[in-house]
Amino acid sequence: MAAIHPFYEAHRGAMEAAMRQRLHLAEGMLRERANLSDMDRVRQEVMDEFEIVLSQMPYVGGSASRMSDFFMRLMGFMAIGRVLRRHRVSLAVIGEIERESYKAQLLMVPEAERLASGRQFMSPENQALLREQAAKSHAEEYPDDFVYDFVEPETGDNFDFGINYKACGFCKFAGRHGDQEILPHICGLDFEAYATRGIRLERTQTLAGGASHCNFRFSRLES
């Protein structure tokens, strides 16, 4: 097995703890919807697969890149999807289990903290940072990274700002490691991640679905 990059190794404890928490939150669904009864075995299989995923995770700049956090928070769902597919769980059920367990995990964060994070994301200061990082992404310093454009709203648009992802690190990872069929579940987690922070995400197409880009559009949810 390949070595885990030192950046991810430094965050390994937190990522493994998050995985164990997700599996705990998903236990009822795994029993009832996936018809799995030996939870000790399933948990061990997922954690063993997560060890493999950690060794496969590409380095895209560490703490200097906002996309590193996306990899650390979401790549574990690749491990869950792989294990459930080996147990012949349908893709639809895998998507439900991953989405609902992720939402339950997100909602464990106090509401005030989640909404404060959402306000920070929507702030003019963060939008300025996103513009800067979007421009830098086109240098493609790390080949497995994301490439994206910041989108300014035009007259008549009903969003605050947008991001068009022209290249996706998750798509590259899935293509390299044969995870294409479970890739759309990773895309589906975005809606929960933003909604629980008081942000409306609208998206009508994805790279994973064969489009030329993923069209993220962000606005504030009504109270």
Side-chain angles (χ1 to χ4, degrees), residues 3 19 51 55 89 105-106 113 119 128 130 157 164 176:
M19 285 293 293
E51 179 87 6
S55 71
V89 179
Q105 187 175 38
L106 293 169
E113 184 177 333
R119 289 192 295 272
L130 288 171
D157 285 335
N164 284 345
R176 180 174 296 111

Side-chain angles (χ1 to χ4, degrees), residues 108-120:
M108 293 181 73
V109 177
E111 182 181 35
E113 184 177 333
R114 287 187 278 109
L115 295 181
S117 173
R119 289 192 295 272
Q120 190 280 328

Side-chain angles (χ1 to χ4, degrees), residues 89-109:
V89 179
S90 73
L91 290 171
V93 170
I94 293 173
E96 291 174 5
I97 291 172
E98 292 193 334
R99 185 175 62 255
E100 292 180 31
S101 61
Y102 187 48
K103 181 177 180 179
Q105 187 175 38
L106 293 169
L107 291 175
M108 293 181 73
V109 177

